[in-house]
Amino acid sequence: MPRKDVRGKQGAGETGDGVEAALDELYATAPAGFVARREELALRARSDGRAQDARRIHAARRPSLAAWTANLLRRSMPQESRRFLELGEALREAYGTLDRAGIKELSVQRRSVVAALSAQAARLAAEAGQRLSGSVRQEVEATLQAVLADPGAAERWAAGRLETALTPPSDLLPGSAPPGRTARTAPARPAARAPAKDELAERRREHERQLARAEEAAEAAEGRLRERRAELAEADGESGRAGERHERAQEEMAAAERRLHGAREELRLSGQERREAEERRRAAADALARAEREAREAAREAERAKRRGGG
């Protein structure tokens, strides 16, 4: 009885724990099947008495193909995605302290990692039956750029429920203000006094540590992507070999079917010949029986004629 009371209260409008799992499943669905699956999940929640859950599920918007691909990457590669988010944090810290040359170097590394990860996302989408056009791949790259540059974008992508592609901030280019910060104008005149030497040295050492962390994170991400490419190449090779074995098996099966057909035809012909031979044997047996009867009748007739002649 208490279980029914709790369920009744939930039906009055409380959100159940299952709505988050339902939304996760919904945003893992390909865009073409999104609406139909959304209606199924909303109807299920409504039938269970979870009206608020049903309204929340029904309010979910179908993601664009680029957004769905970014969500797919986030869900399919959780460890790589977590490290990518950590790389974004390190890069944003580095942008806040590095000089122009350091920012330019990090920008080159950032573009390399984003390009490799977006290529992996395109492969995942292709495996799921979705071929990405050039414009959609650019939207995926822009989304990943935004994740690295903007903590808000990183938080949205981490949830795995993007509805539209993200746009990186305009200040992401080297030489501009660091992402998430406002550009500062140059002072009209030099500062009253320069910072102390030890403070300047400590800032430089911190810059170097942040740059080293960012470079290590970028190199680790590139290494993992190379490993994934190698795994994909190996899987492609295995798939090709499996396809060849499948073709050979089909050819062997076709040959076996032809042999089976020939054997069945041979069995049919031999059965027909056997039946014909059996019919001939029965006819010969009948003829023999008649001949034997006729011979016995002739022998009896000759014996009777002999007796009549002797009497």
Side-chain angles (χ1 to χ4, degrees):
M1 294 300 293
R3 293 175 64 87
K4 291 184 179 179
D5 292 340
V6 171
R7 186 179 180 86
K9 291 181 180 180
Q10 187 179 11
E14 293 185 3
T15 301
D17 295 336
V19 67
E20 299 299 330
L23 289 172
D24 286 340
E25 177 188 349
L26 185 58
Y27 279 94
T29 304
F34 183 91
V35 174
R37 188 56 180 159
R38 181 185 65 190
E39 299 308 312
E40 291 176 2
L41 294 173
L43 178 60
R44 181 185 301 172
R46 195 176 300 112
S47 300
D48 291 343
R50 297 182 287 116
Q52 185 174 341
D53 287 357
R55 286 193 294 271
R56 186 177 172 191
I57 293 171
H58 195 269
R61 294 175 55 193
R62 181 176 66 179
S64 67
L65 183 55
W68 173 81
T69 302
N71 293 335
L72 176 65
L73 177 67
R74 174 70 180 94
R75 297 178 187 279
S76 301
M77 304 179 65
Q79 294 183 355
E80 289 78 1
S81 298
R82 178 178 56 79
R83 296 189 183 103
F84 187 70
L85 291 169
E86 293 173 353
L87 173 62
E89 294 179 3
L91 288 174
R92 289 191 294 272
E93 291 179 3
Y95 267 110
T97 55
L98 291 177
D99 56 13
R100 193 182 190 90
I103 292 176
K104 184 176 181 180
E105 182 178 354
L106 280 182
S107 297
V108 173
Q109 295 178 354
R110 183 195 66 237
R111 285 193 294 270
S112 175
V113 172
V114 167
L117 203 57
S118 63
Q120 179 64 31
R123 283 191 288 270
L124 290 171
E127 291 173 0
Q130 299 289 332
R131 296 287 181 181
L132 304 186
S133 64
S135 60
V136 173
R137 292 190 62 167
Q138 289 178 356
E139 291 180 0
V140 174
E141 287 192 10
T143 298
L144 295 176
Q145 293 277 15
V147 170
L148 289 181
D150 182 8
E155 183 177 356
R156 291 176 61 192
W157 180 65
R161 299 178 189 173
L162 292 180
E163 297 174 351
T164 59
L166 302 178
T167 303
S170 59
D171 58 4
L172 188 59
L173 296 176
S176 58
R181 295 172 176 260
T182 303
R184 295 190 296 269
T185 56
R189 54 188 176 182
R193 59 188 181 88
K197 290 184 177 180
D198 56 347
E199 180 182 354
L200 181 59
E202 178 59 27
R203 287 183 60 188
R204 287 177 177 173
R205 286 194 294 270
E206 180 62 22
H207 294 173
E208 293 174 355
R209 287 193 293 268
Q210 291 175 350
L211 178 58
R213 287 196 300 269
E215 289 177 344
E216 290 176 0
E219 291 176 359
E222 291 179 351
R224 288 189 295 272
L225 287 172
R226 285 194 297 270
E227 292 176 359
R228 298 300 174 270
R229 289 195 188 101
E231 292 174 358
L232 178 61
E234 182 178 356
D236 287 341
E238 293 178 354
S239 176
R241 291 189 293 272
E244 294 175 357
R245 291 195 298 271
H246 180 69
E247 291 179 358
R248 287 196 300 269
Q250 284 184 324
E251 293 174 357
E252 292 174 358
M253 184 176 67
E257 288 177 348
R258 289 192 296 271
R259 291 194 297 271
L260 177 60
H261 177 74
R264 285 175 176 170
E265 182 64 18
E266 182 67 23
L267 180 62
R268 185 186 67 80
L269 293 176
S270 62
Q272 181 177 351
E273 292 176 355
R274 179 180 178 182
R275 288 191 297 273
E276 293 174 354
E278 184 65 23
E279 290 175 0
R280 290 194 298 270
R281 188 191 68 79
R282 284 197 299 270
D286 292 344
L288 176 61
R290 287 194 301 271
E292 288 176 346
R293 287 195 300 272
E294 292 173 357
R296 287 194 297 271
E297 183 62 27
R300 284 194 294 271
E301 183 62 29
E303 184 63 26
R304 284 193 295 269
K306 181 179 179 181
R307 290 176 182 172
R308 286 194 297 271

